[in-house]
């Protein structure tokens, strides 16, 4: 008793497979608001300061954006998957401390120490994810616990091992030069020294973006962030996906920690505290929803770029540093509002 | 699929090209650092002061006042920036170098982290003066002079004075977990103080916690008869904490503010170790101006010490006004 489907005529294509207008196609991208914001900030400081566009100037704000960007991308992936990690800021210090203590105090080769701190980061990430999935508590609480625990561990262990509150002396360890070449070298482009962390940032963002939009695992991330229950119902391995995401964020923390420890050759036990909020802000400016299920890795990288450009641009503009945070806050709010407006429009377009 | 592989290949090739132009950081080797480059002699002098203080810190505000006042008096354009995170402070230095400032004043709480940036500034021909902390590394990194207080000497002086006042058990309160200078002060105090010394860790951002922990410490150990605070805010918290439990311990502190002045006047605080940080802002601007105009160098390779100056009840009347106007 089935009625035959009405034949589709070329004159009236199904709206689901029709090609939408370019403007509409662009506006549904999560990163478009961030891109516009970045353009505005870029133009503003290019016009209002002399040094912003010079080689040295560009190197400065790209450098500032790079390590923040690596973390923002990791945090964005986790946020799209519907979870938070408050231990990310401290993780950058913890991994750096593990590396530097093993290298300077135990005399390990830097590469071996880096491997050990990577294993440590993976363990903490997996522990975070496992505990969140196991207890069903909000990741906010679980990772707040890890955050505090790591903070105490950083200070306690550093003080115990070195008798002071910082580990230094990385420059005279085995394998420092080769590890430093990979994580902390500079590239001379047109007479200006650019930090290699910029390459890591771009590479990590591109890899994360491909993972997110080109692979099955990327679909799983969106699914578990949108609705874990529905995702489980259609056969997505929710637990595995979420634990992997926590480990990915921890990996980003390790990467940034390694870049920092090799570049600055020392770690302070209280480093990184409070940065976790900046990572989240960058991800949100980049178009991630705090509720999960929506966002972009490239957007988060651009969010960090806005942060870096604004932070260094304010210095180039020679504004009184007392007002620094106010400018930064206003700028970020503006970026988020623009983003939000665009997203609403995007949702209208989608319907 | 093919296009993917092609793209990956292109990326790898681009990466290889970029990497070939890379320079890795240099490992530590003994050897003479670069000599200071020639001073920049044209145009009005512009000096960037980049400290590790957090924004709004009372101590660093006095440094800022000193630098800005010197700038006004000498016609030098002074810009003050600060960030407590060593990595971000390094970026502020890079930023100043990108702006080609005429002189750089840097506080090095974490010298190793700032090393590449400071050396880079020196290589770019920008005269650098270090202030406050980083005395030992200052010359090695190519700075002209160091202006500051030797933290362990200051701690030692405080410890000795407490011993002279007849104290036998000292509690040294550290309020910033990652601060090397504070650890040095407590170690110095332990050296100067003949009796027993213990340290206590508190969080400066939470005054209630500071007070409660100091109260708990003197309560738990009745033999503590002296508390050494490393910050004026902590001193005020220590005084009220001790009062609450009726302990006989007395407080001495580092750094001055109007509360400490009032407390010294009232006899609640024994003395303050003042490193006169106004000079740490003021003097480097003067030195850079002299270097700029006349190629003068101060200190002869030794640091210029701004402290410690012990402020006790006898001296307080004269100094109170200066604290009020933000220069002491």
């Amino acid at each position: 008793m089935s009625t035959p489907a009405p034949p589709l005529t070329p004159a009236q294509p199904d709206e689901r497979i029709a090609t939408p207008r370019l403007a509409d196609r662009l506006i549904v991208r999560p990163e478009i608001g961030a891109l516009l914001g970045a353009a505005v900030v870029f133009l503003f400081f290019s016009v209002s300061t002399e040094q912003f566009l010079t080689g040295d100037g560009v190197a400065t704000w790209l450098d500032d954006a790079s390590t923040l960007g690596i973390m923002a991308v990791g945090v964005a992936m986790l946020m799209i998957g519907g979870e938070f990690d408050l231990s990310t800021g401290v993780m950058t210090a913890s991994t750096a401390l593990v590396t530097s203590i093993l290298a300077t105090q135990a005399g390990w080769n830097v590469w071996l120490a880096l491997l050990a701190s990577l294993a440590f980061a993976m363990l903490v990430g997996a522990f975070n994810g496992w505990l969140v999935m196991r207890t069903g508590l909000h990741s906010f609480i679980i990772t707040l616990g890890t955050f505090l625990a790591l903070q105490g561990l950083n200070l306690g262990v550093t003080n115990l091992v070195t008798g002071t509150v910082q580990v230094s002396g990385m420059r005279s360890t085995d394998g420092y030069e080769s590890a430093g070449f990979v994580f902390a070298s500079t590239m001379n482009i047109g007479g200006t020294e650019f930090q290699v962390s910029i390459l890591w940032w771009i590479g990590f963002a591109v890899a994360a973006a491909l993972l997110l939009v080109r692979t099955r695992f990327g679909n799983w991330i969106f699914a578990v962030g949108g609705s874990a229950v529905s995702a489980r119902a259609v056969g997505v391995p929710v637990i595995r996906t979420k634990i992997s995401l926590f480990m990915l964020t921890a990996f980003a923390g390790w990467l940034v920690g390694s870049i920092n420890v090799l570049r600055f050759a020392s770690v302070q036990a209280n480093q990184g505290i409070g940065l976790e909020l900046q990572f989240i802000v960058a991800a949100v400016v980049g178009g991630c929803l705090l509720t999960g299920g929506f966002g972009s890795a490239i957007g988060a990288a651009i969010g960090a770029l806005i942060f870096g450009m604004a932070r260094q641009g304010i210095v180039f503009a020679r504004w009184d540093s007392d007002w620094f945070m106010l400018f930064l806050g206003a700028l970020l709010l503006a970026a988020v509002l623009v983003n939000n407006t665009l997203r609403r429009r995007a949702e209208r377009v989608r319907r | 699929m093919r296009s993917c592989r092609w793209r990956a290949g292109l990326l790898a090739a681009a990466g290889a090209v970029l990497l070939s132009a890379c320079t890795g950081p240099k490992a530590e080797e003994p050897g003479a650092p670069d000599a200071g480059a020639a001073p920049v002699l044209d145009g009005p002098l512009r000096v960037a002061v980049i400290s590790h203080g957090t924004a709004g810190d009372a101590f660093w505000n006095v440094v800022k006042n000193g630098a800005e006042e010197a700038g006004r008096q000498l016609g030098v354009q002074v810009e003050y920036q600060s960030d407590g995170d060593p990595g971000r402070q390094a970026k502020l230095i890079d930023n100043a170098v990108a702006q080609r400032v005429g002189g750089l004043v840097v506080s090095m709480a974490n010298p190793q982290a700032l090393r590449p940036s400071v050396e880079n500034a020196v290589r770019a021909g920008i005269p650098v003066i270090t202030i406050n902390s980083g005395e030992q590394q200052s010359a090695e990194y190519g700075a002209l002079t160091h202006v500051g207080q030797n933290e362990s000497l200051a701690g030692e002086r405080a410890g000795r004075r407490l011993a002279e006042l007849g104290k036998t058990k000292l509690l040294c309160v550290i309020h910033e977990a990652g601060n090397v200078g504070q650890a040095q002060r407590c170690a110095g105090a332990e050296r100067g103080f003949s009796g027993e010394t213990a340290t206590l860790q508190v969080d400066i951002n939470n005054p209630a916690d500071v007070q409660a922990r100091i109260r708990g410490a003197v309560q738990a150990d009745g033999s503590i008869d002296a508390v050494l605070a490393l910050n004026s805010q902590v001193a005020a918290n220590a005084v009220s904490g001790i009062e609450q439990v009726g302990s006989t311990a007395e407080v001495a502190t580092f750094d001055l503010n109007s509360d400490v002045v009032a407390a010294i006047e009232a006899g609640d605080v024994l003395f303050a170790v003042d490193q006169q940080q106004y000079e740490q802002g003021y003097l480097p601007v003067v030195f850079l101006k002299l270097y700029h105009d006349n190629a003068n160098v101060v200190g002869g390779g030794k640091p210029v010490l701004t402290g410690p100056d012990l402020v006790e009840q006898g001296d307080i009347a004269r100094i109170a006004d200066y604290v009020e106007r933000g220069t002491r």
Side-chain angles (χ1 to χ4, degrees):
Chain A
M1 283 295 286
S2 62
T3 46
L8 279 175
T9 56
Q12 295 162 295
D14 188 324
E15 53 100 16
R16 285 171 301 180
I17 58 163
T19 314
R21 287 182 304 135
L22 179 69
D24 286 349
R25 248 186 316 166
L26 277 179
I27 215 159
V28 297
R29 308 281 321 153
E31 57 273 77
I32 195 72
L35 203 58
L36 283 177
V40 170
V41 173
F42 177 81
L43 282 178
F44 177 76
F45 285 113
S46 299
V47 171
S48 64
T49 74
E50 288 163 31
Q51 297 89 3
F52 191 78
L53 268 188
T54 61
D56 277 353
V58 173
T60 309
W61 50 259
L62 277 182
D63 174 31
D64 193 4
S66 61
T67 45
L68 175 65
I70 293 169
M71 289 311 294
V73 168
V75 166
M77 300 282 276
L78 183 66
M79 274 171 70
I80 296 169
E83 301 291 343
F84 273 102
D85 190 347
L86 293 183
S87 66
T88 47
V90 170
M91 181 63 93
T92 61
S94 295
T95 50
L97 282 168
V98 171
T99 307
S100 59
I101 287 177
L102 288 177
T104 63
Q105 306 293 316
W108 288 27
N109 184 290
V110 175
W111 285 105
L112 209 60
L114 282 171
L115 272 184
S117 64
L118 177 62
F120 167 78
M122 295 289 97
L123 267 177
V124 175
F127 174 76
N128 272 336
W130 173 77
L131 210 58
V132 167
M133 297 321 294
R134 183 66 206 254
T135 60
L137 289 169
H138 199 283
S139 49
F140 204 89
I141 294 300
I142 300 288
T143 57
L144 183 62
T146 344
F147 162 63
L148 295 172
L150 284 178
Q151 193 181 333
L153 207 60
N154 286 357
L155 184 58
V157 170
T158 310
N159 227 329
L160 205 66
V161 175
T162 66
T164 174
V165 286
Q166 70 178 28
V167 185
S168 50
M170 277 303 282
R171 282 198 182 87
S172 44
T173 53
D174 278 349
Y176 173 76
E177 288 215 17
S178 59
F181 181 80
V182 173
F183 289 105
S185 51
T186 53
M187 303 163 286
N188 194 317
I189 301 172
T192 307
E193 298 287 330
F194 287 86
Q195 292 290 334
V196 77
S197 55
I198 299 167
L199 277 191
W200 280 104
W201 168 42
I202 295 169
F204 191 64
V206 169
L210 289 178
L211 182 73
L212 202 56
V213 296
R214 287 285 161 85
T215 66
R216 193 165 55 151
F217 185 70
N219 283 336
W220 290 351
I221 296 175
F222 281 109
V224 296
S227 164
V229 179
S230 327
R232 189 174 283 123
V234 295
V236 173
V238 174
I239 294 177
R240 183 143 59 93
T241 306
K242 290 210 176 188
I243 291 180
S244 309
L245 285 175
F246 276 105
M247 289 170 76
L248 181 75
T249 315
F251 172 80
W254 170 80
L255 185 55
V256 170
S258 306
I259 289 171
N260 282 343
V261 74
L262 289 164
R263 171 154 171 210
F264 299 121
S266 73
V267 205
Q268 219 163 282
N270 64 346
Q271 221 163 285
I273 295 169
L275 292 186
E276 57 283 340
L277 290 182
Q278 294 185 9
F279 308 151
I280 293 174
V281 166
V284 170
V285 167
C288 288
L289 279 185
L290 285 165
T291 46
F294 185 85
S296 130
I298 295 293
I302 299 173
L305 181 66
I306 293 181
F307 227 104
M309 287 196 298
R311 205 149 49 179
Q312 299 299 325
I314 287 170
V315 181
F316 283 130
R318 300 192 208 169
W319 290 338
D320 188 335
S321 61
D322 287 354
W323 301 93
F324 191 91
M325 283 296 173
L326 175 66
F327 294 131
L328 207 57
L331 222 133
L332 291 176
L333 277 181
V336 174
L337 287 178
V338 168
N339 232 337
N340 207 29
T341 317
L342 281 170
R343 191 181 305 119
R344 280 217 205 98
R345 248 211 86 192
E347 273 157 17
R348 270 208 305 280
V349 168
R350 233 180 240 156
R351 277 185 224 116
Chain B
M1 204 53 212
R2 182 180 292 166
S3 79
C4 256
R5 234 178 256 151
W6 181 80
R7 243 181 274 164
L10 192 72
L11 270 177
V17 168
L18 282 171
L19 278 174
S20 62
C22 268
T23 328
K26 287 276 173 298
E28 195 119 87
E29 20 182 301
D34 295 351
V40 186
L41 289 168
D42 51 337
L45 181 59
R46 220 178 117 209
V47 169
V49 182
I50 298 167
S51 84
H52 68 274
T54 43
D57 183 309
F59 177 93
W60 286 102
N61 200 40
V62 175
V63 176
K64 185 184 178 190
N65 287 342
E68 286 177 346
E69 182 55 35
R72 264 190 297 279
Q73 288 174 7
L74 298 170
V76 174
Q77 201 180 340
V78 171
E79 282 147 33
Y80 177 88
Q81 307 283 346
S82 66
D83 203 312
D85 180 276
R88 285 203 300 275
Q89 197 195 350
K91 279 165 198 158
L92 286 174
I93 298 173
D94 296 343
N95 193 318
V97 173
Q99 296 186 50
R100 300 275 168 238
V101 293
L104 198 56
V105 180
V106 180
S107 72
M108 299 200 295
N110 192 331
Q112 287 228 338
L114 301 186
R115 181 179 183 163
S117 296
V118 169
E119 287 182 343
N120 189 27
V122 171
R123 224 174 294 122
I126 298 172
V128 178
I129 291 184
T130 56
I131 57 168
N132 191 260
S133 29
E135 180 188 320
Q136 283 174 331
Q137 293 80 4
S138 176
E140 189 193 336
Y141 295 180
L144 291 183
T145 312
H146 179 81
V147 181
Q149 156 183 274
N150 184 301
E151 299 288 17
S152 23
L153 283 184
E156 211 173 313
R157 177 89 188 271
R160 210 166 47 233
R161 183 70 188 133
L162 284 169
E164 282 166 18
L165 290 167
K167 302 298 176 191
T168 55
K169 178 144 193 196
L170 173 65
L171 182 73
C172 191
V173 185
I174 291 182
H175 60 265
E176 268 172 36
N179 190 316
V180 180
Q182 290 182 15
Q184 288 171 342
R185 283 179 187 177
C186 281
E190 189 168 2
R191 259 198 315 280
F193 189 70
S194 40
E196 210 182 323
T197 312
T199 55
L200 178 70
Q201 176 74 58
V202 298
D203 179 5
I204 184 72
N205 296 320
N206 184 353
D209 164 80
V210 173
Q211 190 167 330
R213 278 205 233 179
I214 294 173
R215 191 176 60 214
V218 294
Q219 228 167 0
D221 185 351
S223 65
I224 292 174
D225 55 4
V227 175
L228 181 60
L230 305 182
N231 169 289
S232 37
Q233 171 67 47
V234 174
N237 297 144
V239 168
S240 40
I242 288 167
E243 260 170 21
Q244 282 169 359
V245 292
S247 158
T248 53
E250 289 188 283
V251 179
T253 185
F254 276 70
D255 302 347
L256 280 173
N257 69 4
S258 46
D259 291 341
V260 170
V261 168
I264 293 176
E265 270 171 348
D268 288 336
V269 168
L270 290 170
F271 60 83
V273 182
D274 186 13
Q275 63 172 299
Q276 308 182 95
Q277 72 273 29
Y278 185 78
E279 297 177 338
Q280 295 175 9
Y282 191 94
L283 292 177
V285 176
V286 176
F287 295 170
L288 284 169
K289 174 77 174 161
L290 283 169
Y291 183 73
H292 176 267
D293 293 351
N294 207 29
N296 284 134
V297 181
V298 190
K302 297 273 189 218
V304 176
L305 296 184
T306 62
D309 181 38
L310 286 196
V311 178
E312 305 201 31
Q313 209 164 15
D315 334 301
I316 200 69
R318 193 160 45 93
I319 287 168
D321 290 342
Y322 306 147
V323 173
E324 197 63 39
R325 69 176 190 202
T327 61
R328 255 322 261 269

